[in-house]
Amino acid sequence: MEEGLKTADPHDCSAYTGWTGIALLYLQLYRVTCDQTYLLRSLDYVKRTLRNLNGRRVTFLCGDAGPLAVGAVIYHKLKSDCESQECITKLLQLQRAIVCQESDLPDELLYGRAGYLYALMYLNIEIGPGTVCESAIKEVVNAIIESGKTLSREERKTERCPLLYQWHRKQYVGAAHGMPAAKVDHETLTEMVKPSIDYVRHKKFRSGNYPSSLSNETDRLVHWCHGAPGVVHMLMQAYKVFREEKYLKEAMECSDVIWQRGLLRKGYGICHGTAGNGYSFLSLYQLTQDKKYLYRACKFAEWCLDYGAHGCRIPDRPYSLFEGMAGAIHFLSDILRPETAQFPAFELGSSKRD
């Protein structure tokens, strides 16, 4: 992988396909092995990204929020508190543009408000509660809720789906364009979030898979970004919040679809590859402690271990975290410690794209 990275785009600083994703991989390897060498390698890569922030995007996966959040965490682990706080301060300076309802910023994970929200939550998980104050998180959550209500009214779906989101004029279904699990008040959860989840549930195909967008009737994609491998995370989160067995049952049904159709020739990465699909099994194992799901995760890991042996399509960024080899390595490392798997928790998957 390191040899291949010599040909990677030197200007791609994103977590999705660029150098921040490689920094995240080495941070993961440090977490699994406690080898300080990996943490220092992670620092090398994140320094490269922090020198090249461009301000064009604001999300964790595809914008400046990712390098800043990952940089803050790495510096914190190295006890470089001044550098860590500088990253956090720069991240919070982006907030005003995020919450502005007059902006044309979308709400989804890859390119919108939910992607910025994830960066804030990531800091509180990795550094500690209160690293980002709850009021800042709540402000972003409220902006996402209000935007979802507005589109639902415009599309005349308020009663059926109180929160509706789109990207490039399509209402996509999948984890890549959804929103992360965040603290929402009880009334909003029961009156808006829950019926919106149920609206997505009712779009399920007979096979148990889900469409790529609410208007699409083609049962084709079985990816983390589109289809059952993304929706399963939404269903698991719904079960954790509402404690209704229907959500867990349907998450298990998603797992069966992934088991049947989820070894992808599209690649080995997280977004639309076998590693991302394998994470659905690890997440279900963590939730249920049913070893069937750990077995399934291990079988998908075996496929990833035979990297390059299946005639898979070579992705545009073959060594990246979300498209290529780095994603497969990240998944394989979590197989070693399934009880503490650190897949980014992009869990509420109901919105936008391919």
Side-chain angles (χ1 to χ4, degrees):
M1 188 191 77
E2 283 286 352
E3 189 64 29
L5 285 172
K6 292 178 181 178
T7 63
D9 182 355
H11 304 295
D12 187 348
C13 298
S14 72
Y16 188 83
T17 54
W19 301 109
T20 301
I22 306 304
L24 275 169
L25 172 61
Y26 279 110
L27 186 58
Q28 164 73 357
L29 294 176
Y30 166 71
R31 179 182 286 113
V32 171
T33 66
C34 297
D35 185 340
Q36 190 84 356
T37 304
Y38 291 125
L39 185 59
L40 294 174
R41 182 67 63 86
S42 184
L43 176 65
D44 289 340
Y45 281 116
V46 84
K47 278 183 175 180
R48 181 184 307 199
T49 68
L50 291 173
R51 289 194 296 266
N52 292 284
L53 301 181
N54 56 41
R56 289 199 298 270
R57 288 178 176 157
V58 295
T59 64
F60 185 87
L61 286 180
C62 295
D64 287 2
L68 289 169
V70 175
V73 169
I74 293 171
Y75 279 124
H76 171 75
K77 291 184 181 297
L78 290 167
K79 302 189 186 309
S80 299
D81 293 336
C82 289
E83 289 84 352
S84 179
Q85 187 56 52
E86 183 180 353
C87 290
I88 295 169
T89 299
K90 289 181 178 179
L91 177 64
L92 293 175
Q93 286 172 350
L94 301 174
Q95 177 132 345
R96 181 173 296 180
I98 303 296
V99 299
C100 176
Q101 289 293 327
E102 285 71 40
S103 77
D104 58 358
L105 188 71
D107 297 283
E108 50 114 56
L109 189 64
L110 282 186
Y111 306 119
R113 292 184 180 93
Y116 179 76
L117 173 63
Y118 179 80
L120 302 184
M121 296 168 62
Y122 174 79
L123 291 181
N124 281 356
I125 292 169
E126 293 290 336
I127 297 179
T131 303
V132 176
C133 67
E134 287 299 321
S135 61
I137 292 175
K138 184 176 176 57
E139 189 177 24
V140 181
V141 170
N142 288 344
I144 295 172
I145 295 294
E146 289 303 314
S147 180
K149 288 163 61 178
T150 298
L151 183 62
S152 182
R153 283 195 302 268
E154 291 173 355
E155 296 290 323
R156 299 180 181 178
K157 290 185 178 180
T158 300
E159 292 186 7
R160 290 174 293 161
C161 186
L163 299 175
L164 192 64
Y165 300 96
Q166 67 180 10
W167 187 78
H168 282 201
R169 298 186 178 182
K170 282 192 177 182
Q171 293 145 18
Y172 284 102
V173 177
H177 298 275
M179 59 180 288
K183 290 184 178 179
V184 179
D185 64 82
H186 180 74
E187 182 179 355
T188 301
L189 277 173
T190 55
E191 296 185 7
M192 295 186 182
V193 175
K194 191 171 187 288
S196 299
I197 291 171
D198 290 339
Y199 184 79
V200 174
R201 286 175 51 237
H202 294 146
K203 296 293 181 179
K204 181 173 67 174
F205 294 124
R206 286 186 179 181
S207 68
N209 194 28
Y210 284 80
S212 60
S213 64
L214 295 180
S215 60
N216 194 307
E217 297 181 359
T218 304
D219 181 2
R220 183 170 64 92
L221 302 179
V222 186
H223 304 162
W224 175 78
C225 51
H226 293 308
V231 176
V232 69
H233 296 286
M234 177 190 77
L235 294 169
M236 283 188 281
Q237 186 65 23
Y239 173 71
K240 292 175 189 177
V241 172
F242 301 112
R243 308 309 298 180
E244 294 185 18
E245 290 296 323
K246 64 183 180 183
Y247 297 118
L248 180 58
K249 177 177 179 291
E250 291 185 18
M252 293 174 174
E253 291 170 358
C254 280
S255 172
D256 293 338
V257 173
I258 300 162
W259 179 243
Q260 294 160 9
R261 298 168 58 183
L263 291 174
L264 303 179
R265 294 195 179 274
K266 203 168 185 178
Y268 298 87
I270 289 174
C271 186
H272 35 266
T274 298
N277 289 359
Y279 266 116
S280 65
F281 303 133
L282 269 188
S283 296
L284 264 171
Y285 172 68
Q286 290 173 314
L287 180 62
T288 66
Q289 294 300 297
D290 186 337
K291 291 186 178 179
K292 174 176 75 174
Y293 299 114
L294 181 57
Y295 170 81
R296 289 180 171 183
C298 289
K299 299 308 287 186
F300 272 45
E302 286 180 13
W303 171 278
C304 292
L305 279 170
D306 291 329
Y307 195 94
H310 307 105
C312 292
R313 189 191 77 184
I314 298 174
D316 294 336
R317 274 78 48 159
Y319 304 100
S320 65
L321 184 62
F322 272 74
E323 286 190 355
M325 185 180 291
I329 296 171
H330 197 289
F331 173 54
L332 290 167
S333 69
D334 267 336
I335 289 288
L336 299 175
R337 299 200 310 166
E339 73 284 356
T340 56
Q342 292 291 323
F343 179 52
F346 308 134
E347 290 173 322
L348 286 182
S350 57
S351 308
K352 319 96 280 319
R353 148 173 173 189
D354 191 347

